[in-house]
Amino acid sequence: MTRMPHDLVHPPKARPGERIAVLSPSFAAAGTFPAVHEQAMRRLSEVTGLTPVEFPTTRQVGASPQARAADINAAFADPAIRAILSVIGGEDQITVIPHLDASLARRDPKPFLGTSDNTNLHHWLWANGVASFYGGSSQVHLGPGPGVDEIHARSLRAALLTGETIELTEPGESEDYGIDWGDPRALTHFGEREPAEPWTWHGPPRSVSGRTWGGCIEVIQWILAAGRFPFDPDVLHGGVLVIETSEELPPAREVGWILRSLGERGILAAAGAVLAARPPVSDFTRRPPAGERAGLRAEQRDVIVDVAGRYNPEAVVCTGIPFGHTRPQWIIPHGGVITVDGAARRVIADYS
């Protein structure tokens, strides 16, 4: 069994004025909804001081896996590119991974930011000894609405530029989805936001500081099924498992089944803490009443707490943190260190 490296390289930060590659490793939303994308590029430059650089498939809808992989390889190979941001997720990035050149990422590691289907790229980078940042989607978190959410802008700068340590806090409001990107109002209005529930804490009142690993739990299942997770769970010993669910809105029982498989694999027993993101529970076609939405979030919380407790009663579990498919969104380290303090009920992320 191949063992993943214990030591991960933390790529050097970019500096204002340097270039950031903006890629579409999955769905090329930038090509389908160019007005939102172009506003995102302006805001990316304003918030970070970096210069966005597009590649051939950034706006190419339906580009082949080989072509999208070529852009990723080119971004790592170009010494002028000092960071990489994914436009959005999708559902077929798993087909891109076999065409990547790991030697390029190892030779010149750069901060990579992406969410959802980009779990594939995060795990590929981890396997090749490179830490990254889970979260960030120019099409979701930079382009739409009247501006960039404060917690997103702060963690974006920390991941790309400053490397500071930040306590993750609850922004107090949340939306599951915004206005359709084909509607001109998407450029000036947020979606329907509602008050967010407090985070919940479970397990022993102790503090855990460990390296993070995880992502979108549905994509983790695909990676496991493809046999691209060939390592000893002890590599995660004492670490922090981070999980979130997608806009496909999987029922709580399915989330529990996937998490149970991670338990059987030994991953839950190895983790010192589990962070579960606030899940989306509605979309453009399904928006249950407020009470039902709260109930759906509670169902997912309860199944995560139950399964994690069965496999590892010593794990500190915190649910509800907005690092997943809802907005506002914290970008968090993947392969970096997060402290989960069950006694003080604080979560602190190191973006170095």
Side-chain angles (χ1 to χ4, degrees):
M1 176 177 290
T2 303
R3 190 177 180 89
M4 284 188 177
H6 279 279
D7 295 326
L8 297 181
V9 172
H10 293 260
K13 300 303 182 188
R15 294 176 294 184
E18 293 185 327
R19 297 180 178 182
I20 179 170
V22 180
L23 307 181
S24 295
S26 297
F27 170 48
T32 307
F33 305 101
V36 172
H37 172 69
E38 287 158 13
Q39 179 156 279
M41 295 303 93
R42 292 192 295 271
R43 289 176 175 173
L44 175 61
S45 182
E46 290 166 2
V47 170
T48 67
L50 299 175
T51 301
V53 178
E54 298 185 27
F55 280 64
T57 67
T58 299
R59 302 196 193 200
Q60 185 181 340
V61 180
S64 70
Q66 293 88 340
R68 284 176 277 152
D71 280 359
I72 299 168
N73 289 332
F76 276 111
D78 186 346
I81 297 294
R82 299 319 312 154
I84 302 171
L85 172 67
S86 179
V87 166
I88 200 170
E91 48 77 30
D92 77 333
Q93 193 178 99
I94 198 166
T95 65
V96 172
I97 301 302
H99 306 290
L100 298 179
D101 185 343
S103 67
L104 297 173
R106 289 194 293 260
R107 186 178 307 134
D108 188 9
K110 303 165 186 185
F112 170 75
L113 283 67
T115 189
S116 191
D117 201 27
N118 291 287
T119 299
N120 285 284
L121 267 167
H122 289 297
H123 288 197
W124 177 79
L125 286 166
W126 175 302
N128 287 287
V130 180
S132 53
F133 294 94
Y134 189 82
S137 166
S138 58
Q139 195 75 14
V140 177
H141 300 286
L142 296 179
V148 181
D149 291 299
E150 190 273 334
I151 67 167
H152 192 79
R154 187 178 180 196
S155 53
L156 180 69
R157 287 190 292 264
L160 291 173
L161 303 167
T162 66
E164 62 197 287
T165 297
I166 299 175
E167 179 175 357
L168 306 187
T169 55
E170 173 52 59
E173 63 178 8
S174 182
E175 66 180 56
D176 284 357
Y177 59 91
I179 295 172
D180 187 296
W181 295 328
D183 185 331
R185 293 180 305 142
L187 297 172
T188 55
H189 292 76
F190 288 134
E192 186 175 344
R193 297 193 169 192
E194 62 185 335
E197 299 92 340
W199 304 348
T200 69
W201 291 83
H202 312 269
R206 66 189 183 99
S207 181
V208 173
S209 291
R211 192 168 59 184
T212 54
W213 176 90
C216 181
I217 197 167
E218 299 117 288
V219 181
I220 292 173
Q221 179 178 232
W222 301 344
I223 294 168
L224 286 169
R228 293 184 186 155
F229 191 51
F231 74 96
D232 185 339
D234 282 347
V235 171
L236 300 176
H237 182 72
V240 179
L241 174 64
V242 295
I243 55 173
E244 59 105 2
T245 53
S246 78
E247 75 280 2
E248 295 298 321
L249 313 182
R253 68 177 183 278
E254 292 187 13
V255 175
W257 293 338
I258 301 171
L259 194 59
R260 182 179 65 187
S261 296
L262 297 184
E264 291 296 316
R265 187 68 185 260
I267 292 167
L268 283 176
V274 177
L275 297 182
R278 176 183 173 88
V281 293
S282 58
D283 59 20
F284 286 119
T285 62
R286 295 166 288 178
R287 185 167 175 80
E292 187 176 341
R293 295 197 301 273
L296 290 169
R297 287 188 288 269
E299 286 178 16
Q300 187 177 123
R301 175 201 67 209
D302 291 346
V303 76
I304 290 171
V305 171
D306 175 64
V307 175
R310 271 189 275 143
Y311 284 94
N312 187 352
E314 293 304 307
V316 181
V317 181
C318 179
T319 73
I321 302 175
F323 64 82
H325 275 70
T326 59
R327 182 178 179 183
Q329 182 208 60
W330 283 106
I331 299 167
I332 62 173
H334 187 266
V337 173
I338 284 184
T339 297
V340 184
D341 190 334
R345 298 196 167 187
R346 301 174 68 198
V347 178
I348 300 170
D350 182 350
Y351 290 85
S352 61

